[in-house]
Amino acid sequence: MNEQQNNVMREEKEHLNEIQQVIRAQLQDVDSSLDKSREEIMKQKRYLWENIYELDLGEIASNRGIISEDYDSYEFREKQKRLLLKLQDNPYFGRIDFVYDGESEQEVLYIGLGGLREKNGVEILIYDWRAPISGMYYDFDMGNAYYEAPMGRVSGEIIQKRQIKIRKGNLEYALNSDFKVDDEILQRELSGNGSTKMRNIVATIQKEQNSIVRNQTASIMLVQGVAGSGKTSIALHRIAFLLYQNRKNLHSSEILIISPNHIFADYISNVLPELGEQNISEVSFDEIARHEMDGICRFETKYVQMEYIIGCRSEEDERLQRIRFKGSFVFLRELQEYVKHLEDSLITFSSFTFKNYTMEEEKIRSLYQETFSMEPIFGRLDKIGDRIADNYESNYNAVVSVLSRKEIKQSLYGMARTQDIVRLYCEFIESLKKRYSVMKNDFISEKFLLYEDIFPVVLLKLMVFDNHKSQFDRIKHVIVDEMQEYSMIQYEILHILFKCNMTILGDINQVVDKGNEAVPDNIQEVFGQKVTMIKMMKSYRSTYEISEFCRELCGLKEAEIFERHGKPPVFEECKAYDDMIVSIQNRMEHVDLSEITTVAVICKTSASAKEMYDAFDEEHKKCCYLMNEEDAEFREGIIITDSYLVKGLEFDWVIVPEVTAQEYFSERDRQILYIACTRALHELDILYFGDKSTFIDK
């Protein structure tokens, strides 16, 4: 370490000590305030309970209001304490020395996970990474810089930038840099072990990533990013930023993430709390379907369907062809046209009498076809039912009960030739058989739907029945992850259920079946409004050697690779399946879990993962676990799993077995292999026996 660096470290240690003193003092103050708040709340509660029968309603309401305010104050101080405890371990990660235009003195700005002020509340000691001024740390090198403040653009010059690493209150390094984030710093961060929880990346957000995080104009943002580009992480940081910028109008309870499975949801669950925000709710499309189809019918899960698709060995497979067709834009348009047909054919109009009031057939028809034409079919009948009840109340100066209104609507439903949504769907499928050969042999069970049929039925239900969506009414922002896995039908469902801003992200190169037509242009047409499309083409996850292999595997010439070097992929030929099992077990014996956090043996299908796990001897079974669809958390250690469940996850060491010409031969198999290999952070081993796949025949 040279003299200049010694001086930098000495300066930053002194500053860190000063900041830690401030934090400790504020923690003491907060603890004292919390104790007083607790005492005051208990005092008010005791007073209320002891005098409840002597107080009038106004006094009771007043006391309850005081208690509520005390609770709010307590929660605010609790939040303060949580932030101070975070700052105690790691108060900041960056520093900018900035000279405002027209001034001569520089201002030293420290940037951290959260903001910190002096006790007087005036002087800012640490700026929150989401503050407008903090954006300069990510967007500018030394030299001219600016940020957008509420009063307008503020310009000046950055005369010094410094990257700082503090861990558990100890300064590890402080480096001056001429660059936004020094490659050396990023190298250090990326070279660490993986984790069962996604970490925040506030210290290393890149300029192009920062533009996504801080975008406040896009109502629907679609991010196409290569594997390892940080799509999900950036989306979560974007949510943290929006919560910070819109504190008065946006709450974490008003944000929802559509996630592929519970394992993935568990993996990302730590990011927002690390950033000082409450975690957000998540739901899968399967759960949406279960809610909508409750009491109607059972259906296959996405996981089971994917097992079929991944294991399919023929492109001519009839079900595979139907899955593709039912996920297409053409199928969506056909279903929408069928609903238009139902608008004219499902209802047989007649006059309707409630007690002494009669609404004539022509009036009902007029209300249905004109007045309420923007509503779903049965939603129109609901509106007509309310109109009948309102007219009765007006004519006879009477009140129609809620129960009676419901009975009127149910009676009007009788004008429909059927209310069975699955039966209507079967009729729709039958109509397609005459025009599309791919549908010729399709059979729909009314008791159990295949996965490719469940969402068309859900969509049909939303378009035919009244689409009251009370479960999602509060949602103001939706994150849709793994966008490439959803059909056009599913995007139309999103369009109906959520009239709010969205961040949609994924990688079309990781779609298991290229027959899926959920491409950006089609998504934009579904939403019927401008979609802000952004590409993230630089991969940071894997070493250069692994990333280069993956890039060549899928022919992604435009993909950029962050240059972090490590071990090249290992390709091992085994004599037979049993020898491959022995080779994997030998690797398991040499895993030092104090050095390596996560190891994944990624098989092609869940069936092959189960077969491999069963082939291990009892001692080696104790060293690992089989991760499947039933799991709800991502655990440390050695896992055996399948290619579908690992999407969005990452591991220190990935082993891909049985990469033979018999198992990996189609373009779909190439995508599956790509998904598996891009999960590796530091090491990638590919094992085969017999004829190896042409995808690794280099």
Side-chain angles (χ1 to χ4, degrees), residues 626-643:
L626 182 66
M627 187 171 79
N628 55 41
E629 166 187 36
E630 303 300 321
D631 285 295
E633 67 175 321
F634 183 19
R635 290 181 277 173
E636 291 184 352
I638 305 170
I639 71 166
I640 317 297
T641 190
D642 61 86
S643 57

Side-chain angles (χ1 to χ4, degrees), residues 346-354 357-361 363-365 367-368 372 377-389 404-419:
L346 186 61
I347 308 298
T348 301
F349 297 101
S350 62
S351 299
F352 184 86
T353 299
F354 174 70
Y357 174 77
T358 298
M359 182 174 283
E360 300 297 330
E361 175 186 332
K363 180 62 177 177
I364 292 176
R365 188 188 304 274
L367 290 171
Y368 178 90
F372 303 129
I377 295 173
F378 283 87
R380 300 181 199 187
L381 298 180
D382 283 342
K383 295 285 187 182
I384 293 169
D386 283 327
R387 180 66 63 89
I388 290 170
S404 292
R405 284 177 179 264
K406 187 176 180 180
E407 289 173 348
I408 292 171
K409 294 171 186 179
Q410 287 296 325
S411 297
L412 288 171
Y413 286 1
M415 293 183 182
R417 57 181 170 82
T418 181
Q419 298 178 46

Side-chain angles (χ1 to χ4, degrees), residues 34 70-80 82:
L34 284 169
D70 287 341
Y71 266 121
D72 290 343
S73 178
Y74 184 84
E75 288 177 357
F76 175 76
R77 289 187 176 92
E78 274 282 3
K79 189 175 181 179
Q80 274 186 312
R82 288 194 296 271

Side-chain angles (χ1 to χ4, degrees), residues 28 79 139 220 228 259 267 334 360 389 452 476 546 609 612 620 640 680 682 690:
Q28 288 179 350
K79 189 175 181 179
D139 289 339
I220 297 179
S259 65
Y267 177 56
E334 287 285 359
E360 300 297 330
E452 56 265 33
K476 296 180 179 179
I546 295 172
M612 177 162 290
H620 287 91
I640 317 297
H682 310 303

Side-chain angles (χ1 to χ4, degrees), residues 572-624:
E572 180 181 332
E573 181 179 8
C574 304
K575 292 181 180 178
Y577 184 85
D578 290 345
D579 295 304
M580 186 181 68
I581 296 296
V582 171
S583 181
I584 294 172
Q585 291 183 153
N586 288 339
R587 284 169 164 81
M588 292 166 64
E589 292 171 6
H590 291 90
V591 173
D592 184 352
L593 292 177
S594 66
E595 297 285 334
I596 297 176
T597 307
T598 53
V599 180
V601 181
I602 305 176
C603 302
K604 186 177 177 182
T605 65
S606 61
S608 56
K610 177 68 164 56
E611 181 185 3
M612 177 162 290
Y613 180 79
D614 290 341
F616 289 161
D617 59 44
E618 291 304 316
E619 285 301 310
H620 287 91
K621 283 181 182 177
K622 295 176 183 176
C623 301
C624 63

